[in-house]
Amino acid sequence: MKGHLALLLANTMFGFNVPIAKGVLASGMVSPYALNLFRMGGAALLFWIASLFAPREKVSRKDLVLLFFASLFSIQLNQTSFLIGLSMTSPIDASIAASTVPILTMLIAAVYLKEPITWKKAIGVAVGASGALLLILSNGTVDTAGRSGSIAGDMICLMGALSFAIYLAVFKRLIARYSSVTLMKWMFLYAAICAIPLCGGDAAAIDYAHLSPALWGGVLYVVCCATFFSYLLIPVGQKYLRPTVVGMYTYLQPFIASVVAVLAGLDRFGFAKGIAAVMVCLGVYIVNQSKSRAQLDAERAARQQAASAAQTSPRA
């Protein structure tokens, strides 16, 4: 029950984040770069405060270097691309693009970790990729209300998904060595430091005196809920539930984001987007149902052990 509740809360917060962040950006008072700095700097501060109350873990110098590159792919490139892409496209498109992460992770893991690509995985990738392609080709340009999608914005969001998929596959062993608080406090610190020269000018140019309470609330939600609390809750789900079940909860994000965006008047859910969402989610589901290399190796070992036992058993 704990794991299910943690994943439900985390993915619900991620889903709400898309239209809320879009609303902040659509105001014109906070740029994607400024919001990016707020998110990274705020999360870094919160994780370092949280680390004061968590068991201390010593991180080697080598791993500190690796954590910088992990931060580059999982936070800096991922979140910067997402916010820039979101400012150019619609909330529904951005959420659908983000849901391709499991498929992209599977492809990278096949190359880097030598994970086998089964027929089930191949079918899942084909279905999910077709959905993403349908999403991109069905879009025109962004209108003044920010309701339409754009090819450029969708592609940038997909780049963000790709960078996070690289992080999950390439830094898998590093992630397993430390707790989530230790990992995130260093990764968000690196991200915040790197974001200052890139995003500091936009953050300094904001007219803070004229920011409405609603805008401040949106920024706080992005920093506290969609970043800090979500990154704390996901490891709880991973502790209690199988990876397939954890992956299934990511399907909540595009649907929650779509419902909230439509109700708030930030987007329109057309037939093409509906088909694209179903295809992406179906592709992710098929990929998650396929077997990993560890499962295949375990089954092969079990068959060999059974065959060996049959050969050595006494015959009547």
Side-chain angles (χ1 to χ4, degrees):
M1 187 63 183
K2 256 185 195 178
H4 287 289
L5 182 59
L7 289 177
L8 178 63
L9 289 174
N11 284 279
T12 299
M13 285 190 285
F14 280 138
F16 272 90
N17 180 58
V18 179
I20 289 175
K22 180 65 177 182
V24 173
L25 297 174
S27 70
M29 300 189 70
V30 180
S31 73
Y33 295 99
L35 184 57
N36 194 46
L37 181 58
F38 293 155
R39 187 175 193 182
M40 294 178 181
L45 178 62
L46 291 173
F47 275 113
W48 275 90
I49 292 175
S51 69
L52 299 177
F53 304 94
R56 292 189 177 183
E57 293 180 297
K58 185 176 181 181
V59 182
S60 67
R61 291 184 179 181
K62 178 182 176 181
D63 284 348
L64 285 175
V65 175
L66 291 176
L67 282 171
F68 171 80
F69 290 101
S71 170
L72 178 66
F73 286 100
S74 69
I75 299 174
Q76 298 171 51
L77 292 176
N78 170 247
Q79 294 188 8
T80 302
S81 298
F82 171 76
L83 290 176
I84 293 174
L86 179 61
S87 69
M88 300 168 63
T89 192
S90 70
I92 291 177
D93 289 14
S95 63
I96 294 174
S99 66
T100 61
V101 168
I103 295 174
L104 295 171
T105 303
M106 186 274 293
L107 290 174
I108 297 169
V111 176
Y112 186 77
L113 299 176
K114 308 302 180 185
E115 282 285 341
I117 296 182
T118 62
W119 278 107
K120 189 174 286 187
K121 285 184 180 179
I123 293 172
V125 169
V127 172
S130 299
L133 185 62
L134 174 62
L135 168 69
I136 293 170
L137 295 179
S138 67
N139 281 322
T141 57
V142 180
D143 61 21
T144 54
R147 292 189 180 93
S148 300
S150 75
I151 293 177
D154 293 344
M155 291 301 296
I156 293 173
C157 287
L158 285 172
M159 285 174 56
L162 175 62
S163 69
F164 193 73
I166 291 173
Y167 159 73
L168 291 178
V170 174
F171 297 96
K172 182 178 179 180
R173 295 184 182 90
L174 176 66
I175 297 171
R177 284 201 287 270
Y178 303 102
S179 68
S180 59
V181 172
T182 299
L183 289 168
M184 295 306 158
K185 77 174 186 179
W186 284 107
M187 289 166 60
F188 273 101
L189 177 63
Y190 287 138
I193 293 173
C194 292
I196 290 174
L198 178 65
C199 309
D202 281 42
I206 293 176
D207 185 3
Y208 291 96
H210 290 87
L211 289 183
S212 67
L215 279 179
W216 277 117
V219 172
L220 287 175
Y221 181 89
V222 171
V223 173
C224 297
C225 298
T227 308
F228 177 70
F229 286 119
S230 295
Y231 277 87
L232 282 179
L233 287 170
I234 288 177
V236 177
Q238 292 173 318
K239 179 179 179 181
Y240 291 101
L241 302 174
R242 293 179 293 112
T244 301
V245 178
V246 175
M248 288 290 290
Y249 273 92
T250 62
Y251 306 158
L252 286 173
Q253 295 181 34
F255 295 109
I256 291 172
S258 299
V259 171
V260 174
V262 170
L263 292 177
L266 293 172
D267 206 347
R268 291 189 298 263
F269 199 90
F271 179 76
K273 289 182 180 180
I275 296 298
V278 170
M279 292 177 70
V280 169
C281 291
L282 180 60
V284 175
Y285 173 78
I286 295 172
V287 169
N288 277 328
Q289 291 301 305
S290 61
K291 295 179 180 179
S292 66
R293 183 178 67 175
Q295 290 173 315
L296 293 174
D297 289 344
E299 289 179 359
R300 190 180 301 110
R303 288 195 299 268
Q304 292 175 348
Q305 184 177 7
S308 177
Q311 290 177 354
T312 57
S313 61
R315 297 179 180 177

